[in-house]
Amino acid sequence: MSWRVAAPLSVLLALLGGCAATGDNKPATTASTSAGPVALTNCGTPVTVTKPPARAVTMNQSATEIMLALGLQDRMAGTAYLDDQVLPAYAAAYAKVPVLAKEYPSKEKLLDIAPDFVYASFASAFSDEGVGDRADWQKLGVGTYVSAAGCPKDTRPAKLAMDDVLAEFREIAAIFGVGERAEALIADQQERIAKVSAGAKGTRVLWWDAGNDAPSAGACCGSPAMIMSAAGVTNIFADLNGSWADTSWETVVERNPGVIVLIDASWDPAAAKQAFLEKHATLKDLPAVKAKRYVVLDFSSTSAGVRNVLAVEALARGVGGVGN
């Protein structure tokens, strides 16, 4: 009998529940337009927003979904760069926000729509491949924000934790004057994580992101490690530095994971990873492979944001009862 748990988009809606914004584009409460200035330091950059933005642009999927989870779609002048489909709970709201580009828009394109706030999940959004330096935008009076997980290395948390993600919800909500929505969202996610984490303790997990010759695995300190920790499982590569790290299949065999997380991406599907494992001369004899002990997670679940709780739930429930 095979043992395989997947968390595809079709079931994430059922898991989402809680305080997510509904798809009817109606926020739970009227957003404040009179909140006072908000000053904070983000990725080492001082940010001051004198009033809640009205023409925000999100540069990555995680930033987009955080805005939608906070019911702020009416404040969005544009969005860009999806890795997966937007969660079904947000689809109707997302459909009303202009999509500026498949990946990052040009600086000229962004200037054309006159944003008053630019929010990204990764510092690369403010590089030459994106829309240019944050400092240039702030000189124009445009506020900017980058997720803690996506800060440049020297200002990134040494070890990402769920508290960093929840703090991002709180800071974005403060900027937009909807703090009560963040507190409701945070309370909901904390409660859900507490419900599922205990049952997974002790399970040894390989988080396989990409790569066949030299597998890229979830390492000590990024979002994969954060999700595994919140789910209560043991990361077999917690001794490797960084968010992801290249290792070897020989080491995977030596460490003998009880469960293997397969990241599903359009450019590297989980099905192909599973087929590789089950055909590999050595890996096919791993107990986890022989028993098909897989948990499939969408790539977008690995970016810090509202999906992380879904990944924690799927992982914890998927490995429940496997004691290795």
Side-chain angles (χ1 to χ4, degrees), residues 116-315:
D116 56 5
F117 188 74
V118 182
Y119 175 21
S121 302
F122 305 102
S124 59
F126 294 105
S127 67
D128 290 342
E129 68 179 274
V131 297
D133 288 347
R134 294 180 70 180
D136 292 339
W137 287 100
Q138 299 199 170
K139 287 176 184 176
L140 294 173
V142 178
T144 62
Y145 189 96
V146 177
S147 299
C151 289
K153 188 174 182 179
D154 58 342
T155 57
R156 193 181 308 155
K159 187 170 184 178
L160 189 69
M162 284 299 301
D163 283 348
D164 296 309
V165 178
L166 303 182
E168 179 177 346
F169 299 169
R170 189 171 281 125
E171 289 187 337
I172 293 299
I175 287 169
F176 284 86
V178 293
E180 74 288 348
R181 298 186 196 173
E183 297 310 317
L185 180 63
I186 289 167
D188 174 67
Q189 295 212 350
Q190 289 175 326
E191 180 181 358
R192 289 161 62 187
I193 290 171
K195 283 181 179 178
V196 299
S197 60
K201 288 188 182 298
T203 303
R204 293 168 47 77
V205 173
L206 163 65
W207 184 293
W208 181 20
D209 179 66
N212 288 350
D213 295 333
S216 179
C220 75
C221 300
S223 55
M226 173 188 73
I227 291 166
M228 285 187 275
S229 176
V233 303
T234 299
N235 177 9
I236 67 167
F237 285 113
D239 58 323
L240 298 183
N241 294 328
S243 297
W244 295 267
D246 289 343
T247 183
S248 68
W249 290 120
E250 290 77 14
T251 307
V252 170
V253 171
E254 289 172 4
R255 299 192 180 189
N256 190 22
V259 171
I260 301 173
V261 170
L262 304 178
I263 296 302
D264 191 32
S266 58
W267 57 91
D268 190 9
K273 292 184 174 78
Q274 180 178 339
F276 172 85
L277 292 172
E278 293 172 3
K279 291 178 181 178
H280 192 280
T282 303
L283 299 173
K284 67 181 183 180
D285 292 324
L286 273 174
V289 174
K290 291 175 72 172
K292 300 186 186 296
R293 294 175 182 160
Y294 308 124
V295 174
V296 177
L297 299 174
D298 292 330
F299 174 80
S300 54
S301 297
T302 67
S303 296
V306 294
R307 288 180 183 244
N308 296 152
V309 69
L310 302 177
V312 171
E313 289 174 327
L315 179 56

Side-chain angles (χ1 to χ4, degrees), residues 6-19:
L9 199 57
S10 59
V11 301
L12 290 180
L13 177 58
L15 288 172
L16 191 62
C19 301

Side-chain angles (χ1 to χ4, degrees), residues 66-128:
I66 290 171
M67 289 284 286
L68 298 177
L70 293 171
L72 292 169
Q73 57 273 5
D74 58 329
R75 309 291 195 85
M76 297 173 67
T79 186
Y81 220 140
L82 286 189
D83 294 307
D84 294 306
Q85 293 181 17
V86 167
L87 286 169
Y90 309 142
Y94 175 77
K96 298 180 181 181
V97 180
V99 176
L100 305 181
K102 183 177 180 181
E103 295 184 356
Y104 290 137
S106 67
K107 185 173 184 178
E108 293 71 26
K109 176 74 172 179
L110 194 54
L111 283 167
D112 283 345
I113 66 166
D116 56 5
F117 188 74
V118 182
Y119 175 21
S121 302
F122 305 102
S124 59
F126 294 105
S127 67
D128 290 342

